[in-house]
Amino acid sequence: VSADRAVPLKDLDEIAQRSLRNRILIMDELITPTQENIARRGREIEQNAQAIDDLWKAYMATYLTPEEKVLADKFAAVRANFVSEAVLPTQRAIKEGRMDEAQRLYEKLSKMSPEVIAAQNELIALQVTVAKEEFDAATARAATFRFWGMLILVAGVALCIFIGWFLAVNVRRPIEQAARVLQLAAQGRTGEQVDLHRNDEIGQLMQILA
C-alpha cells in the first residue's frame, strides 16, 4: 500500500500540480510578455516538465494492476499529445514573439486540458480504490492468521497436557512403583506385586525387580 499506492498517489498529485503550474506560467507569459519574464517563466516551465517526466518514470516503475496499466497508457498518450500539440507550440510562439498565435494556441491548450485532467483523475482515483482493496485483503489475511495462530496455540496447549499426562501415566508412576518396591525390599518385605505387563525399558526394570 505504501510503495505501490501512497507514494504513486503523491507523485500523481505532484504531476497534476506542476502541470497546472505550467499553464499558469504560460498565461503569465502572455499577460506580461517581457523578455525577462518570458525567460524566467520559461526556465520554470522546463524544470517542471523535467520533474513531471521523472515522476512519471518513477510511477511506471511501481506495480500496476491490469486496469491501472490501461489507464496509465491512456494518460501517457493524452499527455504526450497535449504537450506536442499545445504546450510546446504555445511556448515556442511566445519565445519567438508571435503573441497573437501564442494566444490562439493557448486557447487550444485550454480546450485540451480537461481531457488530460480527466485521465489524470482516473489514475488518482484508482490508487485510492486499489489501496482500499489491498487494505481489505490484508485485514482478511490478518484475521486468517489470527485464527490459525489461536488454533495452533490451543493445539499446542492440548499437546502439552497430553504429553504431561502420558509422562505421568507411563513414566512417573512406574518409577514411583519401582522406588516403593526397592524401599520395601530394603526392609525385607518382598511380597509387593510388580506390574510385569510392560516390555519397554521401565518394564525391564520392573521384571528385574520382580
Side-chain angles (χ1 to χ4, degrees):
V1 171
S2 174
D4 293 327
R5 299 299 150 217
V7 173
L9 184 60
K10 170 186 167 298
D11 291 344
L12 289 171
D13 180 67
E14 187 173 347
I15 288 173
Q17 295 300 325
R18 287 181 180 271
S19 298
L20 177 60
R21 175 64 180 168
N22 277 355
R23 283 188 61 193
I24 295 172
L25 292 171
I26 292 173
M27 185 188 301
D28 184 67
E29 288 177 323
L30 291 171
I31 295 172
T32 311
T34 64
Q35 277 191 337
E36 181 184 355
N37 189 55
I38 290 174
R40 184 172 69 254
R41 300 309 190 191
R43 284 193 297 272
E44 187 176 348
I45 288 171
E46 290 175 359
Q47 290 171 358
N48 285 335
Q50 183 60 55
I52 289 171
D53 288 340
D54 294 341
L55 288 166
W56 183 250
K57 288 177 183 177
Y59 168 73
M60 292 299 292
T62 63
Y63 169 73
L64 304 179
T65 66
E67 180 185 2
E68 187 178 9
K69 183 67 168 62
V70 172
L71 293 179
D73 291 341
K74 175 185 174 182
F75 173 73
V78 170
R79 178 175 172 270
N81 183 61
F82 175 70
V83 171
S84 63
E85 296 295 325
V87 177
L88 292 180
T90 303
Q91 188 64 12
R92 191 180 306 116
I94 291 173
K95 286 183 178 179
E96 294 174 1
R98 295 179 280 114
M99 304 310 294
D100 291 340
E101 182 181 353
Q103 189 66 49
R104 290 193 298 272
L105 286 168
Y106 184 80
E107 292 175 2
K108 180 181 180 181
L109 183 153
S110 298
K111 290 179 181 178
M112 295 177 68
S113 290
E115 184 181 9
V116 178
I117 294 171
Q120 185 173 264
N121 287 342
E122 285 181 324
L123 270 179
I124 291 174
L126 184 69
Q127 303 307 310
V128 178
T129 300
V130 175
K132 183 179 184 306
E133 291 173 353
E134 292 181 355
F135 174 80
D136 290 343
T139 302
R141 286 195 299 271
T144 301
F145 291 151
R146 281 196 299 271
F147 170 77
W148 284 107
M150 290 299 297
L151 189 63
I152 291 171
L153 179 62
V154 170
V157 171
L159 180 61
C160 289
I161 293 173
F162 171 77
I163 291 174
W165 171 82
F166 179 85
L167 291 175
V169 171
N170 293 279
V171 178
R172 184 172 60 82
R173 290 178 185 174
I175 290 177
E176 288 176 349
Q177 184 185 19
R180 186 171 64 256
V181 170
L182 286 173
Q183 288 175 345
L184 293 173
Q187 298 170 10
R189 299 163 58 187
T190 58
E192 180 73 10
Q193 292 293 321
V194 179
D195 183 6
L196 301 176
H197 293 93
R198 300 171 58 131
N199 198 34
D200 55 10
E201 288 79 359
I202 293 178
Q204 294 174 10
L205 172 63
M206 302 303 285
Q207 292 169 14
I208 291 172
L209 286 175

CSV table of all heavy atoms in Angstrom, one decimal, residues 10 23 93 101-102 111 131-132 172 195 208:
chain,number,residue,atom,x,y,z
A,10,LYS,N,1.0,10.3,-4.3
A,10,LYS,CA,1.7,11.6,-4.1
A,10,LYS,C,2.4,12.1,-5.4
A,10,LYS,O,2.3,13.3,-5.8
A,10,LYS,CB,2.8,11.4,-3.0
A,10,LYS,CG,3.8,12.6,-2.9
A,10,LYS,CD,4.8,12.3,-1.9
A,10,LYS,CE,6.0,13.2,-1.9
A,10,LYS,NZ,6.7,13.2,-3.2
A,23,ARG,N,0.6,25.7,-16.9
A,23,ARG,CA,-0.5,26.5,-17.6
A,23,ARG,C,-0.5,27.9,-17.0
A,23,ARG,O,-0.7,28.9,-17.8
A,23,ARG,CB,-1.8,25.8,-17.3
A,23,ARG,CG,-2.1,24.6,-18.1
A,23,ARG,CD,-3.5,24.1,-18.0
A,23,ARG,NE,-4.4,25.2,-18.4
A,23,ARG,CZ,-5.7,25.1,-18.2
A,23,ARG,NH1,-6.3,24.1,-17.5
A,23,ARG,NH2,-6.5,26.1,-18.6
A,93,ALA,N,5.9,29.8,-29.7
A,93,ALA,CA,5.4,31.0,-30.3
A,93,ALA,C,5.7,32.2,-29.3
A,93,ALA,O,6.0,33.3,-29.8
A,93,ALA,CB,3.9,30.9,-30.5
A,101,GLU,N,-0.4,34.4,-32.3
A,101,GLU,CA,-0.5,33.0,-32.5
A,101,GLU,C,-0.4,32.2,-31.2
A,101,GLU,O,-1.2,31.2,-31.0
A,101,GLU,CB,0.6,32.5,-33.4
A,101,GLU,CG,0.6,31.1,-33.7
A,101,GLU,CD,1.8,30.6,-34.6
A,101,GLU,OE1,2.5,31.5,-35.1
A,101,GLU,OE2,1.9,29.4,-34.8
A,102,ALA,N,0.4,32.7,-30.3
A,102,ALA,CA,0.5,32.1,-28.9
A,102,ALA,C,-0.8,32.2,-28.2
A,102,ALA,O,-1.2,31.2,-27.5
A,102,ALA,CB,1.6,32.8,-28.1
A,111,LYS,N,-8.6,24.1,-24.2
A,111,LYS,CA,-9.7,23.2,-24.6
A,111,LYS,C,-9.2,21.7,-24.5
A,111,LYS,O,-10.0,20.8,-24.2
A,111,LYS,CB,-10.0,23.4,-26.1
A,111,LYS,CG,-10.8,24.7,-26.3
A,111,LYS,CD,-11.1,24.9,-27.8
A,111,LYS,CE,-11.8,26.2,-28.0
A,111,LYS,NZ,-12.1,26.5,-29.5
A,131,ALA,N,-5.9,0.8,-3.1
A,131,ALA,CA,-5.3,0.8,-1.8
A,131,ALA,C,-6.3,0.2,-0.8
A,131,ALA,O,-6.0,-0.5,0.1
A,131,ALA,CB,-4.9,2.2,-1.4
A,132,LYS,N,-7.6,0.6,-1.0
A,132,LYS,CA,-8.7,0.1,-0.1
A,132,LYS,C,-8.8,-1.5,-0.3
A,132,LYS,O,-8.9,-2.2,0.7
A,132,LYS,CB,-10.0,0.7,-0.3
A,132,LYS,CG,-11.1,0.3,0.6
A,132,LYS,CD,-12.4,1.0,0.3
A,132,LYS,CE,-13.5,0.6,1.4
A,132,LYS,NZ,-13.7,-0.9,1.5
A,172,ARG,N,6.3,-41.6,35.3
A,172,ARG,CA,6.4,-41.2,36.7
A,172,ARG,C,5.9,-42.3,37.6
A,172,ARG,O,6.5,-42.7,38.6
A,172,ARG,CB,5.7,-39.9,36.9
A,172,ARG,CG,5.9,-39.3,38.4
A,172,ARG,CD,5.3,-37.9,38.5
A,172,ARG,NE,3.9,-37.9,38.2
A,172,ARG,CZ,2.9,-38.2,39.0
A,172,ARG,NH1,3.2,-38.6,40.2
A,172,ARG,NH2,1.7,-38.1,38.7
A,195,ASP,N,4.1,-54.8,38.4
A,195,ASP,CA,3.5,-54.8,37.1
A,195,ASP,C,4.5,-55.3,36.1
A,195,ASP,O,5.5,-54.7,35.9
A,195,ASP,CB,3.0,-53.4,36.8
A,195,ASP,CG,2.2,-53.4,35.4
A,195,ASP,OD1,2.0,-54.5,34.9
A,195,ASP,OD2,1.9,-52.3,34.9
A,208,ILE,N,13.2,-57.1,36.4
A,208,ILE,CA,14.4,-57.3,37.2
A,208,ILE,C,14.1,-57.3,38.7
A,208,ILE,O,14.5,-58.1,39.5
A,208,ILE,CB,15.5,-56.4,36.8
A,208,ILE,CG1,16.0,-56.6,35.4
A,208,ILE,CG2,16.7,-56.5,37.8
A,208,ILE,CD1,16.9,-55.6,34.9
